[in-house]
Amino acid sequence: MISLLQSEWYKVRKSNIIYILFAAPLVGLLIGIVGGSSVFPVEVNQWAGALLMMNLTYALLFLPLVTGVLAATVCRYEHQAGGWKQLLALPVTRGKVFMSKYLLLIMLVLVVQVLYLGSIFVVGIVHGFTDSFPMEIVWKSILGGWVATFPLVALQLWMSILFKSFAASFSVNVIFTLPTILAINSEKFGPYYPWAQPVFMMNVGGDTSEFFFIPWEQLITVVGGSFLLFFIGGFLYFQRKSV
Amino acid sequence: MIGKLIRTDFMKIRRKGIWFLTVLGPFGVVALQMVNYGLRKDWFIQQDIYSWFYYIRNVIAFTPFALILGIVILTSFMASIENETNAWKQVIALPVTKWGVYLSKYTTLAILLVVSTCLLTLFSLGFGMFLGLDGGIPYLDLIKYCFYTFFASLPVLGLQLWVALVSKNQGIPITLGIFGVILSYMAYFLPDWLIWKWPSLDNQWDEPIINVCLGLAVGLAIYLVGMIDFMRRDVK
Amino acid sequence: MEYIVETNKLTKRFGKEYAVEAVDLRIPKGEIYGFLGPNGAGKTTTIRMLLGLMEPTLGNIKVFGKDLKRERIGILKKVGSLVENPSYYPHLTAYENLETIRKIYGVPKKRIADVLEIVRLSEVTNKKVKGFSLGMKQRLGIASSLLNKPELLILDEPTNGLDPSGIIEIRNLIKRLSKEEGMTILISSHLLSEIDQIADHVGVISKGKMIFQDTIDVMRRQSQKKISLKVNDYERANRILISNGMKADFSIDSITLPEHHDEDIANIVRVLVENNISVYRIEEEKRSLESTFLQMTAEERGL
Ligand SMILES: Nc1ncnc2c1ncn2[C@@H]1O[C@H](COP(=O)(O)OP(=O)(O)OP(=O)(O)O)[C@@H](O)[C@H]1O
Ligand SMILES: [Mg+2]
């Protein structure tokens, strides 16, 4: 399992994944610096104000979309000239292959989150923030955003195994991501929509009494439930996929 | 020759779900308004903005990034037809010019996007009529704004097609596309010279036609640069 | 002789490495030209340049006597090609795949059925290529190269992935096309045995350089017969032959004579016998074409 994970990482390292990972802090800088930070009254912590703005765009569009690109990249080698055949002809079970690809993706998303955190600091320096850094809520939102992508990553891995072309799995991603723009404005629908969860879990203006800005029940039912659905779906599909 | 190439390009996109996406895009934009007006109809009436004028604004607010996402997806699909199958060597070994091949891809995409734009106009008109909005139906404005957005996004089309055709790894054009989408989402904050701002039809002079002209001129320039770069590359 | 393909100092460099170096290819009209070389010799690179897929670093190419750079389109109208593994669109059927190409050539639709018949794929005309076997895809590739009834057919390892009967079929097809349609055919391979039965001309390329180019008969002659002698005293035999002005290769346990007329051999033997050398054996060593080819390319590699 570990060796499988290492081999996955090795393959991926040789593709242009680094550029994709570094898109995250770039986007962070872009929205943090271009987006302006003076929209909030002075009594709000400067960091929190900037984060509120940055996290919205980041979690709404970038994070869900980039998971799809990462997932497709992780399956890219296998889709080229009989790669699935070659991989599955090795002494490995399909379940382990699926697991190791999933774990690798989760780790890559964590890297994306941490790089984004770095960009938050830089934004603060650029704007010359003097308020104290709200470490706790920042960590909460970084980790929360990460956890919220678990189901999204599972679905995107499924789609990336299913479709050979990046464009196809990306379209599925887009079709689910765009409605989030409306979902987050809807009290009724929003909390149940898996693609809206990164926005809620990174919303530093949310309910700070909760561990992750959203109620535990919502985390377990919506994030957990959709994770199980997508993960098992993808897992079973991969078991049956003829290569 | 271009006619023949375009016809073969349309053959090659069969069964790839490309037509489906071409219809889904404009439908999605209008569907967002269906949800919007379905949930907030009373609020619109209360605010006295239940009119065609505001309706068209609402539609046009979402169109830029639907269009940019559409461009990203379609260009990548178009490139993957030959990239994934290593078919460039077969295509270029036919008695066709490389610029012809490039122009044909571009034209095919432009035709698909024009179809999308026409559908967007029709769907918006249909739903607007269904809503029974206040005031007369501004047919001309509707058509104008839908197509203005399309023309203003031509530079993005040129850029995405170029990057998609020369990238072996389609993750690159798609990541670039994600940047584009985010930029167009923040169009309000962007300086006027960024191509991703143009589809929003917003500029400091409040003259959408400027974006259209820029779109056409810069679109042509980016198209030429991409084509020349494509022509001078060896086919693997 | 009229050459259909003529290159001059054709060269292609990737970075510092020369994939093709100063190659003067000459393909005579109406002949089958076998283009031979081991893996990585530069066959495919040369072919890509002949089709205008790659720009040569140096040198020029003439096809049908016209400059490729200037009249590429006109030339390609009369060329059919299959480069490396065949290209195809998996989501389209065999018929649709050919239709995408037919539209460009503008040949009649009937031609699609004809070429599918030629490569024996008529039965799967309407099947998606996704489900084709390797050999079927290869046949489809050959079919598409024949669509425009080319005057010059360029096939890069066309029998890749074909079963033995398929290989024979393609071989017969190539012979037939050459004889009946008068096509000029370039066929590349790394196996001499694959083309020695059909090719009229051969070019051997190794490490990017053309090391042999002539008719297959000349190659056959080169590879033929050496006479080896076994005698009782090699040293003395050696001296005797040298003093009589006769050429031979010596080693501790054999004397090898390059090709000679029967009369010469008789002379050599007579001289040896007259000088009291016991001649035990006179053997004719027949080297196969294959081993000649192997030796040619091995020498080049410095083995
Ligand atoms: N696109 C490229 N970039 C860099 N080097 C290349 C490229 N294409 C070919 N080469 C190099 O050029 C040399 C010749 O390759 P080529 O494909 O022409 O060989 P070949 O004779 O067709 O071999 P094979 O029998 O294996 O098909 C090789 O050393 C290869 O590494
Ligand atoms: Mg080759």
Side-chain angles (χ1 to χ4, degrees):
Chain A
M1 186 73 195
I2 297 290
S3 57
L4 205 51
L5 202 56
Q6 281 170 338
S7 126
E8 287 297 331
W9 166 238
Y10 182 79
K11 280 187 278 188
V12 150
R13 210 180 51 175
K14 304 265 158 172
S15 57
N16 295 312
I17 198 118
I18 279 295
Y19 300 117
I20 297 169
L21 294 179
F22 274 92
L26 259 176
V27 164
L29 288 178
L30 193 82
I31 53 187
I33 292 170
V34 178
S37 62
S38 49
V39 284
F40 293 97
V42 278
E43 58 272 20
V44 178
N45 178 305
Q46 289 168 320
W47 292 98
L51 271 178
L52 208 55
M53 231 276 316
M54 285 171 71
N55 281 2
L56 178 64
T57 312
Y58 176 84
L60 180 69
L61 291 174
F62 182 78
L63 196 54
L65 291 180
V66 88
T67 56
V69 180
L70 291 174
T73 307
V74 159
C75 297
R76 181 163 170 264
Y77 269 91
E78 280 72 23
H79 278 305
Q80 287 171 346
W84 287 115
K85 270 177 257 156
Q86 195 179 44
L87 177 61
L88 296 178
L90 299 174
V92 292
T93 64
R94 291 188 176 209
K96 280 188 181 163
V97 170
F98 189 84
M99 271 307 290
S100 59
K101 285 204 186 284
Y102 185 78
L103 286 177
L104 176 66
L105 278 174
I106 292 290
M107 287 190 270
L108 289 172
V109 176
L110 185 61
V111 172
V112 165
Q113 288 290 82
V114 171
L115 288 171
Y116 171 68
L117 173 63
S119 76
I120 295 175
F121 280 112
V122 178
V123 168
I125 293 166
V126 170
H127 285 311
F129 289 165
T130 47
D131 290 354
S132 66
F133 188 74
M135 199 53 175
E136 195 192 347
I137 62 165
V138 170
W139 268 115
K140 256 191 208 184
S141 71
I142 294 292
L143 283 182
W146 181 53
V147 172
T149 59
F150 287 6
L152 278 51
V153 170
L155 181 75
Q156 283 306 311
L157 180 58
W158 181 0
M159 292 302 116
S160 300
I161 293 171
L162 177 63
F163 295 113
K164 190 174 173 152
S165 95
F166 273 60
S169 62
F170 186 66
S171 332
V172 175
N173 200 355
V174 165
I175 288 168
F176 285 115
T177 302
L178 279 198
T180 314
I181 299 173
L182 286 180
I184 52 168
N185 290 315
S186 157
E187 304 247 309
K188 270 183 290 178
F189 182 54
Y192 300 104
Y193 193 58
W195 282 263
Q197 301 313 310
V199 179
F200 293 130
M201 294 186 74
M202 291 187 79
N203 176 18
V204 292
D207 188 350
T208 38
S209 62
E210 294 289 348
F211 185 71
F212 270 140
F213 303 122
I214 61 168
W216 277 110
E217 304 89 78
Q218 185 180 335
L219 179 66
I220 290 165
T221 52
V222 179
V223 177
S226 58
F227 166 74
L228 281 183
L229 183 68
F230 298 149
F231 189 87
I232 294 172
F235 192 88
L236 290 182
Y237 168 74
F238 188 51
Q239 291 292 333
R240 278 181 207 141
K241 181 184 172 72
S242 50
V243 298
Chain B
M1 181 182 74
I2 296 299
K4 286 184 201 163
L5 278 169
I6 293 172
R7 259 174 284 149
T8 64
D9 272 329
F10 273 106
M11 266 196 88
K12 290 177 206 164
I13 61 174
R14 279 183 198 175
R15 291 192 280 272
K16 280 242 161 197
I18 287 183
W19 283 108
F20 172 72
L21 291 171
T22 307
V23 179
L24 185 69
F27 178 78
V29 171
V30 176
L32 287 179
Q33 291 315 314
M34 291 180 183
V35 177
N36 197 3
Y37 277 78
L39 292 173
R40 303 198 295 166
K41 185 170 177 178
D42 295 339
W43 184 82
F44 282 117
I45 293 174
Q46 202 185 334
Q47 295 286 310
D48 210 14
I49 50 173
Y50 193 66
S51 67
W52 275 99
F53 178 76
Y54 284 99
Y55 171 71
I56 293 177
R57 289 202 141 197
N58 283 331
V59 171
I60 292 305
F62 277 107
T63 310
F65 53 80
L67 192 58
I68 289 186
L69 280 168
I71 288 172
V72 174
I73 291 171
L74 293 183
T75 46
S76 177
F77 257 126
M78 200 52 114
S80 69
I81 290 172
E82 266 86 17
N83 280 5
E84 271 171 15
T85 54
N86 290 319
W88 283 116
K89 58 186 185 335
Q90 190 182 55
V91 174
I92 306 292
L94 294 173
V96 293
T97 53
K98 276 173 129 180
W99 65 263
V101 171
Y102 196 89
L103 177 59
S104 161
K105 296 269 171 209
Y106 188 90
T107 313
T108 306
L109 286 165
I111 291 172
L112 288 169
L113 291 170
V114 166
V115 170
S116 264
T117 307
C118 290
L119 287 175
L120 176 66
T121 317
L122 281 178
F123 291 164
S124 318
L125 180 69
F127 183 61
M129 284 162 85
F130 168 82
L131 283 174
L133 298 160
D134 298 339
I137 303 175
Y139 291 103
L140 208 63
D141 275 357
L142 192 59
I143 295 173
K144 198 169 90 177
Y145 280 104
C146 289
F147 277 88
Y148 274 11
T149 311
F150 165 69
F151 289 123
S153 64
L154 286 178
V156 179
L157 174 61
L159 183 68
Q160 289 291 146
L161 180 64
W162 176 19
V163 177
L165 283 186
V166 301
S167 300
K168 209 107 207 51
N169 180 350
Q170 287 299 302
I172 306 243
I174 288 187
T175 308
L176 175 72
I178 295 178
F179 267 92
V181 172
I182 289 174
L183 285 169
S184 76
Y185 183 73
M186 305 194 313
Y188 176 75
F189 299 102
L190 297 181
D192 282 338
W193 52 265
L194 266 178
I195 58 171
W196 292 278
K197 177 172 186 158
W198 301 350
S200 70
L201 302 182
D202 183 30
N203 60 44
Q204 55 178 315
W205 307 278
D206 257 333
E207 282 290 349
I209 195 76
I210 293 178
N211 295 25
V212 173
C213 296
L214 277 173
L216 287 169
V218 177
L220 179 67
I222 295 183
Y223 165 78
L224 287 175
V225 172
M227 185 177 80
I228 289 165
D229 180 58
F230 179 77
M231 282 166 69
R232 58 163 203 90
R233 278 170 193 262
D234 280 345
V235 179
K236 295 278 166 70
Chain C
M1 203 179 305
E2 189 188 347
Y3 294 115
I4 291 294
V5 178
E6 203 174 344
T7 72
N8 235 316
K9 300 262 176 295
L10 187 64
T11 301
K12 179 75 190 180
R13 200 180 60 209
F14 295 111
K16 280 185 182 162
E17 180 196 0
Y18 284 87
V20 172
E21 201 173 346
V23 165
D24 296 334
L25 202 64
R26 298 273 183 278
I27 304 182
K29 188 179 164 76
E31 309 253 292
I32 300 175
Y33 185 99
F35 194 30
L36 286 168
N39 289 134
K43 303 182 293 292
T44 303
T45 308
T46 307
I47 287 173
R48 278 174 200 269
M49 288 190 285
L50 292 183
L51 292 166
L53 298 177
M54 276 181 172
E55 284 282 314
T57 313
L58 276 177
N60 59 42
I61 301 170
K62 275 190 180 169
V63 184
F64 305 124
K66 292 180 232 162
D67 185 58
L68 180 71
K69 215 168 174 177
R70 250 179 285 141
E71 298 180 60
R72 198 175 142 259
I73 305 277
I75 290 170
L76 289 182
K77 278 187 184 150
K78 299 189 283 180
V79 176
S81 65
L82 173 61
V83 183
E84 280 187 325
N85 32 15
S87 312
Y88 53 87
Y89 306 104
H91 61 290
L92 300 181
T93 65
Y95 185 90
E96 288 167 336
N97 262 281
L98 293 177
E99 176 67 10
T100 64
I101 300 170
R102 186 205 66 82
K103 278 204 162 85
I104 292 182
Y105 285 130
V107 295
K109 283 199 168 160
K110 168 90 179 43
R111 186 73 189 147
I112 295 183
D114 290 349
V115 292
L116 283 172
E117 178 63 42
I118 290 175
V119 296
R120 294 181 211 281
L121 282 181
S122 305
E123 276 158 43
V124 290
T125 304
N126 293 314
K127 205 174 142 186
K128 280 195 201 175
V129 175
K130 214 186 276 183
F132 276 24
S133 73
L134 184 59
M136 287 160 83
K137 287 174 190 160
Q138 193 72 19
R139 283 161 201 252
L140 182 64
I142 295 172
S144 55
S145 71
L146 295 175
L147 261 181
N148 60 335
K149 292 200 175 159
E151 287 173 33
L152 169 65
L153 183 62
I154 297 181
L155 301 172
D156 189 10
E157 301 187 19
T159 49
N160 220 340
L162 293 184
D163 53 28
S165 75
I167 293 178
I168 294 170
E169 240 172 69
I170 295 301
R171 207 179 273 165
N172 291 339
L173 172 66
I174 289 170
K175 272 194 223 166
R176 210 172 71 218
L177 290 171
S178 158
K179 207 176 290 163
E180 290 171 13
E181 322 257 335
M183 264 184 215
T184 306
I185 302 172
L186 167 67
I187 165 170
S188 91
S189 176
H190 39 245
L191 292 174
L192 178 67
S193 58
E194 204 152 58
I195 59 162
D196 67 346
Q197 297 164 38
I198 52 172
D200 309 303
H201 265 71
V202 274
V204 180
I205 186 171
S206 176
K207 286 189 114 186
K209 292 191 190 118
M210 187 74 99
I211 54 176
F212 176 88
Q213 177 169 244
D214 212 320
T215 62
I216 190 112
D217 293 331
V218 171
M219 192 172 183
R220 283 222 174 82
R221 235 176 286 144
Q222 276 205 359
S223 63
Q224 260 167 17
K225 302 170 243 174
K226 281 195 176 173
I227 307 291
S228 81
L229 300 182
K230 299 254 187 283
V231 296
N232 58 347
D233 187 343
Y234 290 100
E235 205 142 311
R236 210 154 62 80
N238 184 5
R239 258 181 281 124
I240 293 163
L241 286 183
I242 288 175
S243 59
N244 281 279
M246 289 161 164
K247 267 194 200 143
D249 290 331
F250 298 92
S251 68
I252 354 171
D253 61 352
S254 78
I255 297 174
T256 353
L257 309 169
E259 218 202 329
H260 280 284
H261 286 295
D262 292 347
E263 206 47 47
D264 294 334
I265 307 286
N267 267 334
I268 288 170
V269 175
R270 189 163 39 76
V271 169
L272 289 175
V273 173
E274 280 170 0
N275 286 281
N276 288 327
I277 300 273
S278 310
V279 177
Y280 300 146
R281 279 192 186 108
I282 305 176
E283 283 168 336
E284 190 179 63
E285 264 182 23
K286 228 179 182 168
R287 267 205 307 172
S288 70
L289 213 48
E290 196 70 45
S291 65
T292 315
F293 168 57
L294 269 179
Q295 202 191 336
M296 276 184 191
T297 53
E299 273 164 11
E300 196 58 30
R301 273 186 273 181
L303 294 178

